[in-house]
Amino acid sequence: MTLEEALRELDALQKKISAYDHALGLLSYDGLTGAPKGTAANRAQSTGVLSEELYRLQTGPETAELLQCLEESGAALDRKTQRTVYLLGKSIRQMRCIPVEEYVAWQRLLVEADDVWHTAKERSDWPLFAPVLERVFGTVKRFAGYCAPEKDPYDYWLNEFEEGTDRARCDEFFDALHAGIVPLLERVRTKPQPDCTVLRGTFPVEAQERFSRRLMELIGLDLDHVGLATTEHPFTTSLGSHLDERITTHYHTDDFASSMFSVIHEGGHALYDTGSAEELAWTVLDGGVSMGIHESQSRFYENILGRSRAFSAYIFPVAAEYFPSLRDYSAEDFYRAVNRAEPGLIRIEADELTYALHIMVRYALEKRVMAGELAVAELPGEWNRLYKEYLGVDVPDDRSGVLQDSHWSGGAVGYFPSYALGSAYGAQLLRKMRETVDVDACLRRGDFAPINEWLRARIWQHGCLYTPAELFRNAVDEPFDPGAFIAYLTEKYTDLYDL
Amino acid sequence: MTLEEALRELDALQKKISAYDHALGLLSYDGLTGAPKGTAANRAQSTGVLSEELYRLQTGPETAELLQCLEESGAALDRKTQRTVYLLGKSIRQMRCIPVEEYVAWQRLLVEADDVWHTAKERSDWPLFAPVLERVFGTVKRFAGYCAPEKDPYDYWLNEFEEGTDRARCDEFFDALHAGIVPLLERVRTKPQPDCTVLRGTFPVEAQERFSRRLMELIGLDLDHVGLATTEHPFTTSLGSHLDERITTHYHTDDFASSMFSVIHEGGHALYDTGSAEELAWTVLDGGVSMGIHESQSRFYENILGRSRAFSAYIFPVAAEYFPSLRDYSAEDFYRAVNRAEPGLIRIEADELTYALHIMVRYALEKRVMAGELAVAELPGEWNRLYKEYLGVDVPDDRSGVLQDSHWSGGAVGYFPSYALGSAYGAQLLRKMRETVDVDACLRRGDFAPINEWLRARIWQHGCLYTPAELFRNAVDEPFDPGAFIAYLTEKYTDLYDL
């Protein structure tokens, strides 16, 4: 095979992989959005078949020959192709470690687990979910053993979600956060809480939907390429390439802010994915490089921008066009209400200050289950105990506790730390961005273009061309420093609570 | 290969085909429902790849060997397997006649054509659509030549949508309809029209949506397996198997009856598909056998049941729960209004009497384009001329004319006659059903169970096990007789218009 032929085949292979990913992603997305309730078994059937076809395509002899040829060409390849070959080779080698029957069974299990989780959450029925979750953790652990027998299984998965991360790095990071956040939260709790009545009322879904579209346009999403749907748990996904992105939200008629910040959060993910350079479409370099960097974007838009005083000043009168009850309040009332720091039960509704504590609970639990120190059956009890210990709250039922998130049923063990890492990355990105962009002035006039351009140039356009660490370092011109996040929180909450 | 092995492989092959069909069907469904506007190119990319994979699976040497082994086993196979081998063999032989590049290009063209049609219809922009439609007709004609060079291309496609149909049979059938309908319509037009103000008003989409679900449950659909969405043009599709069925509708806020009858029409399709015997799931025998039989079910529910006096008596007070303005009218007002016979512009809004005339226009046009007697460019002019000739109406714009339907952009040339055949099948099914089921009594109490059970036993459960002609003959114990339809129309409209 000549190099030219190999490059053509590499292009065709990536397009094939993208198409299967598109189909499998769409099957999953459909299951979470429009599909009737009783169709999971039918979806599992098709998911199983297509996963197997994708598995055989990627692990077959033709692909092996192609990769060998490209790996041998090494230095003759440009940087983009080198990175492509590296990432593709890595993922194919991992896939080869997993027997095909187990790989297919895993894909089918995830369809079933999602289905069972929805019902279990609705009914707050942990015993219904426990046996499925048992199989999820069992498979996750077994696959880590297949792919990296030399590694601790939880370290393996942490590294899958954020290259370069392991328990040691997470422990250190969370210790630093804990040390910074807990004393700050204690000081906050000595102060009176802001009045939150601005957030109370009845907010029709239809008005919230129109407001969602307005927000999406405002933050700079191209609605010709980014769709919106409603689901139990908000999420973002690319279908086939960054040219078709979907975000979802969940409307509560007694709380417009919940969906508002979900839309901005998922919108941040979508900005990142759709910001990939045009030519990366249908390649393995397309879209976000890691979940940590992904969450750095989503949480940047949701919190650092979305929950800022400057943006509140702009968006509050806009929101009042959709929700007339807001007209009795000021933008400052709104700003204070959406930044009320108070330990609660639900991660996705947590304020910036307590949010990382929710993550620490999940991290502690995952680590112990993966190490075999905690049985899946013990998760609800330990969840509730840790919520009391870290956040001081009593969990009334599993729906508001261990069943609240969709990650484990989606097979994503080791994902949660990405949220906290992302929050910390974001604060450092802000510090750097402020050197050249007057962020507050942009937000006060609802102009996201300069902010988006900064992030597009430094983060989005590169897709997966760099490792997360390289990408981040290039973006901020210094190593990762969680201190920026603590400093950001301290400044923000000192002002808000007059500490 | 032993017969036992071959049967196992046949099962696996059908599951694979179902999974690809699921993925391709879902890509198309998504494009028509939730997908953002600018994503057709991305969808075409994935559709092209997956179509090629499916093509290679079906035309590859392993499948050929399997089919040969099964065909040689002939008499040793049970009836179900014989029919499976026959249908699979036929479709694969046809596929083999089409070069892979052309097959893939066709699948991609359909994604593009649908996208362009939506825009063209919205803007009433025929010149935008014409070049794409040119390519659609060109491909349809070319493929007929590949698959059946001995046949007239339009005959080929008529037979694809309704086995056993060709131009000669259609000509005869439409002549009979024309001879029966036109004089009846002329008599109707000498009479005063019913008052239709019952249908006027403002009907919020949200209330219409709730009413749709009520209708779906009422006619006997299992909402755990049948979903509802909104699209420009209502349709029904199975995804992967009859275990996941989707229907769509289109809401007009000034007209609740339009969506009401779309839901019942599409609901009829869905009852047929989901009524397949359980064990047919993921086989080529699953779902409806032909478009003619399919339309016989959808138009049976929409018109023969849905627009009957007996059902009006039941459903009108129910509709009034959702639409308070109806409370000033009677069920009889409603019955007369939804059966107002008057030539109009839009096929899917036509009454039962004039409906077949809309089909005859399309049939005449398709026939001439396929014979090379009419250029695609001449379609709007001829469309308008024939609407004047057949229906006596002037077409004001292409949006209400040649651009109104989605069939041609979907590649379905030869489909339209199925609607008229289906209407006629339905009248004969009613005549037979009445021998053992008191249809009116069932409808007056909103009880579809006896009707559904009759159709399930005689039509639905059999899937594709029989040819359309065999199936229909077994259902009514006599050959097809369009006279039943003329008699049905004559009786109904004589009563309605006091002829």
Side-chain angles (χ1 to χ4, degrees):
Chain A
M1 192 177 334
T2 68
L3 183 54
E4 203 182 320
E5 282 164 358
L7 291 175
R8 253 203 319 275
E9 276 195 28
L10 177 64
D11 179 62
L13 174 64
Q14 291 183 91
K15 287 206 167 82
K16 277 194 193 179
I17 294 172
S18 300
Y20 280 103
D21 282 343
H22 191 162
L24 289 163
L26 188 55
L27 279 162
S28 162
Y29 176 80
D30 177 58
L32 296 165
T33 54
K37 269 191 174 186
T39 54
N42 187 58
R43 214 155 36 250
Q45 166 64 37
S46 299
T47 299
V49 168
L50 295 169
S51 302
E52 182 168 343
E53 295 281 287
L54 178 56
Y55 180 98
R56 294 195 189 279
L57 169 70
Q58 295 200 75
T59 59
E62 285 179 35
T63 302
E65 195 195 333
L66 171 65
L67 273 177
Q68 198 193 337
C69 165
L70 288 165
E71 281 166 354
E72 281 164 6
S73 305
L77 306 174
D78 61 21
R79 190 186 147 72
K80 212 181 100 185
T81 311
Q82 280 179 11
R83 177 79 176 156
T84 301
V85 171
Y86 168 76
L87 287 176
L88 203 55
K90 185 181 150 202
S91 97
I92 287 174
R93 264 186 289 273
Q94 286 181 344
M95 209 177 230
R96 274 204 212 111
C97 299
I98 302 169
V100 63
E101 309 76 34
E102 292 193 40
Y103 181 78
V104 171
W106 171 239
Q107 302 302 325
R108 295 186 65 137
L109 173 60
L110 294 183
V111 180
E112 183 192 340
D114 173 74
D115 191 49
V116 173
W117 170 74
H118 272 88
T119 311
K121 181 173 176 184
E122 206 176 300
R123 303 188 194 150
S124 201
D125 185 349
W126 164 259
L128 179 69
F129 186 50
V132 183
L133 187 59
E134 192 93 62
R135 286 159 62 204
V136 168
F137 269 106
T139 310
V140 160
K141 225 188 277 192
R142 205 168 61 248
F143 281 11
Y146 291 151
C147 296
E150 75 291 355
K151 250 194 179 171
D152 171 86
Y154 193 45
D155 279 348
Y156 170 78
W157 283 108
L158 288 170
N159 186 65
E160 283 303 294
F161 287 106
E162 189 68 4
E163 208 175 332
T165 305
D166 57 15
R167 285 167 304 163
R169 192 182 158 203
C170 280
D171 285 342
E172 189 189 340
F173 170 63
F174 283 124
D175 284 349
L177 286 199
H178 198 269
I181 287 170
V182 171
L184 190 56
L185 183 59
E186 272 167 16
R187 285 164 65 210
V188 162
R189 299 191 79 178
T190 64
K191 296 288 183 166
Q193 284 289 12
D195 177 34
C196 288
T197 51
V198 58
L199 303 179
R200 311 271 169 274
T202 302
F203 309 98
V205 167
E206 181 273 328
Q208 291 198 57
E209 272 170 355
R210 285 188 294 113
F211 185 51
S212 297
R213 306 257 168 212
R214 178 80 171 263
L215 286 169
M216 289 170 73
E217 282 178 345
L218 179 68
I219 67 172
L221 290 169
D222 175 358
L223 299 197
D224 277 357
H225 292 275
V226 185
L228 173 70
T230 59
T231 50
E232 172 60 31
H233 204 294
F235 68 91
T236 301
T237 190
S238 293
L239 296 171
S241 79
H242 74 269
L243 300 173
D244 188 352
E245 190 82 7
R246 310 294 171 93
I247 71 171
T248 77
T249 187
H250 189 103
Y251 297 111
H252 303 266
T253 52
D254 61 349
D255 177 4
F256 77 96
S258 169
S259 167
M260 170 180 169
F261 289 103
S262 284
V263 167
I264 303 177
H265 176 100
E266 304 305 336
H269 282 303
L271 282 166
Y272 181 19
D273 280 337
T274 59
S276 276
E278 189 71 27
E279 75 267 16
L280 297 185
W282 311 308
T283 75
V284 298
L285 300 183
D286 196 35
V289 67
S290 72
M291 288 327 300
I293 302 292
H294 241 303
E295 295 299 338
S296 82
Q297 302 304 293
S298 54
R299 294 191 57 77
F300 189 82
Y301 280 80
E302 177 194 354
N303 296 311
I304 292 179
L305 305 180
R307 283 191 165 89
S308 67
R309 179 175 272 130
F311 184 63
S312 298
Y314 176 82
I315 200 64
F316 187 72
V318 175
E321 293 171 25
Y322 298 83
F323 313 118
S325 65
L326 302 191
R327 290 175 198 158
D328 299 332
Y329 299 89
S330 71
E332 183 68 14
D333 294 333
F334 175 72
Y335 171 63
R336 288 180 176 275
V338 298
N339 284 292
R340 177 185 168 118
E342 191 170 39
L345 290 165
I346 308 296
R347 178 183 60 82
I348 64 166
E349 286 164 14
D351 56 86
E352 284 178 90
L353 189 52
T354 60
Y355 185 87
L357 302 175
H358 292 258
I359 298 303
M360 290 177 210
V361 170
R362 289 154 176 79
Y363 170 67
L365 293 171
E366 285 185 343
K367 194 165 65 164
R368 288 167 58 199
V369 173
M370 291 297 281
E373 294 163 15
L374 185 71
V376 166
E378 296 169 301
L379 274 172
E382 278 301 284
W383 180 287
N384 298 354
R385 195 182 64 75
L386 288 180
Y387 259 78
K388 189 72 182 177
E389 182 182 324
Y390 281 55
L391 288 127
V393 296
D394 292 304
V395 179
D397 51 40
D398 292 330
R399 187 185 152 80
S400 323
V402 69
L403 291 173
Q404 71 182 261
D405 289 315
S406 62
H407 300 65
W408 291 342
S409 58
V413 175
Y415 182 124
F416 284 117
S418 313
Y419 289 106
L421 282 167
S423 300
Y425 289 155
Q428 208 173 336
L429 285 168
L430 176 70
R431 190 165 75 186
K432 185 69 190 175
M433 188 186 287
R434 283 206 157 127
E435 291 177 9
T436 49
V437 178
D438 187 343
V439 176
D440 287 341
C442 291
L443 293 174
R444 268 192 300 272
R445 60 175 193 270
D447 176 13
F448 281 75
I451 297 167
N452 291 354
E453 281 323 304
W454 195 93
L455 288 167
R456 184 188 310 279
R458 294 185 178 236
I459 306 275
W460 304 345
Q461 66 166 328
H462 302 298
C464 305
L465 199 51
Y466 303 97
T467 67
E470 283 166 357
L471 180 72
F472 186 73
R473 207 199 151 94
N474 291 346
V476 297
D477 302 324
E478 59 182 13
F480 174 48
D481 164 25
F485 184 47
I486 302 298
Y488 163 82
L489 290 175
T490 305
E491 187 187 332
K492 180 163 182 175
Y493 287 93
T494 298
D495 168 69
L496 270 164
Y497 281 86
D498 198 16
L499 302 181
Chain B
M1 194 178 334
T2 68
L3 182 54
E4 202 182 322
E5 282 165 358
L7 292 175
R8 253 203 319 274
E9 276 196 28
L10 177 64
D11 179 63
L13 174 64
Q14 291 184 91
K15 287 207 166 81
K16 276 193 192 180
I17 294 172
S18 299
Y20 279 103
D21 282 343
H22 191 162
L24 289 162
L26 187 56
L27 278 161
S28 163
Y29 175 81
D30 177 59
L32 296 164
T33 54
K37 270 191 172 185
T39 54
N42 186 59
R43 216 156 34 250
Q45 166 65 37
S46 298
T47 298
V49 168
L50 295 170
S51 302
E52 182 169 343
E53 295 280 288
L54 177 58
Y55 180 99
R56 294 195 188 279
L57 169 70
Q58 295 200 75
T59 59
E62 284 179 34
T63 302
E65 194 196 332
L66 171 65
L67 273 176
Q68 199 193 335
C69 165
L70 288 165
E71 281 166 355
E72 282 164 6
S73 305
L77 305 175
D78 61 21
R79 189 187 149 73
K80 213 180 99 184
T81 311
Q82 280 179 13
R83 178 79 176 156
T84 302
V85 171
Y86 168 75
L87 287 177
L88 202 56
K90 184 180 151 205
S91 98
I92 287 174
R93 264 185 290 273
Q94 286 181 344
M95 208 178 231
R96 275 204 212 111
C97 299
I98 303 169
V100 63
E101 310 74 37
E102 293 193 40
Y103 180 79
V104 171
W106 171 239
Q107 302 302 326
R108 297 185 64 136
L109 172 59
L110 294 183
V111 179
E112 184 192 340
D114 172 75
D115 190 49
V116 173
W117 169 74
H118 272 88
T119 310
K121 181 173 176 184
E122 205 177 301
R123 303 188 195 150
S124 200
D125 185 349
W126 165 259
L128 179 68
F129 186 51
V132 183
L133 187 58
E134 193 92 63
R135 286 158 62 202
V136 168
F137 269 106
T139 309
V140 161
K141 225 187 276 189
R142 206 167 61 248
F143 281 11
Y146 291 151
C147 296
E150 75 291 355
K151 250 194 180 171
D152 172 85
Y154 193 44
D155 280 347
Y156 170 78
W157 283 109
L158 287 170
N159 185 66
E160 285 301 296
F161 287 105
E162 189 69 4
E163 208 176 332
T165 305
D166 57 14
R167 285 167 305 161
R169 193 184 158 201
C170 280
D171 286 341
E172 189 189 339
F173 170 63
F174 283 123
D175 285 348
L177 286 200
H178 198 269
I181 288 170
V182 171
L184 190 56
L185 182 60
E186 272 166 17
R187 286 163 66 210
V188 162
R189 299 190 80 178
T190 64
K191 296 288 183 166
Q193 284 289 12
D195 176 33
C196 289
T197 50
V198 58
L199 303 179
R200 311 270 170 275
T202 302
F203 309 98
V205 167
E206 182 271 332
Q208 292 197 57
E209 272 170 354
R210 285 187 294 114
F211 185 51
S212 298
R213 305 256 167 211
R214 178 80 171 261
L215 287 168
M216 290 170 72
E217 281 178 347
L218 178 68
I219 67 173
L221 290 169
D222 174 358
L223 299 197
D224 277 356
H225 291 274
V226 185
L228 173 71
T230 60
T231 51
E232 173 59 31
H233 204 296
F235 68 91
T236 301
T237 190
S238 293
L239 295 172
S241 79
H242 74 270
L243 300 173
D244 187 353
E245 190 82 8
R246 310 294 171 94
I247 71 171
T248 77
T249 187
H250 188 102
Y251 297 110
H252 303 266
T253 51
D254 61 349
D255 177 4
F256 77 96
S258 170
S259 167
M260 172 180 168
F261 289 104
S262 285
V263 167
I264 303 177
H265 176 100
E266 304 305 335
H269 283 301
L271 282 167
Y272 182 18
D273 280 336
T274 58
S276 276
E278 189 71 27
E279 75 267 17
L280 298 184
W282 311 310
T283 75
V284 299
L285 300 183
D286 196 35
V289 67
S290 73
M291 287 328 299
I293 302 291
H294 241 302
E295 294 300 337
S296 82
Q297 302 304 294
S298 55
R299 294 190 58 76
F300 189 83
Y301 280 80
E302 176 193 354
N303 295 314
I304 292 179
L305 305 180
R307 283 191 164 90
S308 67
R309 180 175 272 131
F311 184 62
S312 298
Y314 176 82
I315 200 65
F316 187 72
V318 175
E321 293 171 23
Y322 297 83
F323 313 119
S325 66
L326 302 191
R327 290 175 197 158
D328 299 333
Y329 299 90
S330 70
E332 184 68 16
D333 294 334
F334 175 73
Y335 171 62
R336 289 181 175 273
V338 299
N339 284 293
R340 178 186 168 116
E342 191 169 41
L345 291 165
I346 307 296
R347 177 183 61 81
I348 64 165
E349 286 164 14
D351 55 86
E352 283 177 271
L353 188 53
T354 59
Y355 185 87
L357 302 174
H358 292 260
I359 298 303
M360 290 177 210
V361 171
R362 288 153 178 79
Y363 171 66
L365 293 172
E366 285 185 346
K367 195 164 66 163
R368 289 167 59 199
V369 173
M370 290 297 281
E373 294 163 15
L374 185 71
V376 166
E378 296 169 301
L379 274 172
E382 278 301 285
W383 180 286
N384 299 353
R385 194 182 64 74
L386 288 180
Y387 258 79
K388 188 73 182 176
E389 182 182 324
Y390 281 56
L391 288 128
V393 295
D394 293 304
V395 179
D397 52 40
D398 292 331
R399 186 184 152 79
S400 323
V402 69
L403 291 173
Q404 71 182 260
D405 289 315
S406 62
H407 300 65
W408 291 342
S409 57
V413 175
Y415 182 124
F416 284 117
S418 314
Y419 289 107
L421 282 168
S423 301
Y425 290 155
Q428 207 173 338
L429 285 168
L430 176 70
R431 189 165 75 185
K432 185 69 190 173
M433 188 186 287
R434 282 205 159 129
E435 292 177 8
T436 50
V437 178
D438 187 343
V439 175
D440 287 341
C442 291
L443 292 174
R444 268 194 299 273
R445 58 174 195 269
D447 176 12
F448 281 75
I451 298 166
N452 291 354
E453 281 323 303
W454 194 95
L455 288 167
R456 184 189 309 281
R458 293 184 178 237
I459 306 274
W460 304 345
Q461 66 167 328
H462 303 298
C464 305
L465 200 51
Y466 302 98
T467 68
E470 284 167 356
L471 181 72
F472 185 73
R473 209 201 149 91
N474 291 345
V476 297
D477 301 324
E478 59 182 13
F480 174 49
D481 165 23
F485 183 47
I486 303 298
Y488 162 83
L489 290 175
T490 305
E491 187 187 332
K492 179 164 184 173
Y493 286 94
T494 299
D495 168 71
L496 270 163
Y497 281 86
D498 197 17
L499 301 181

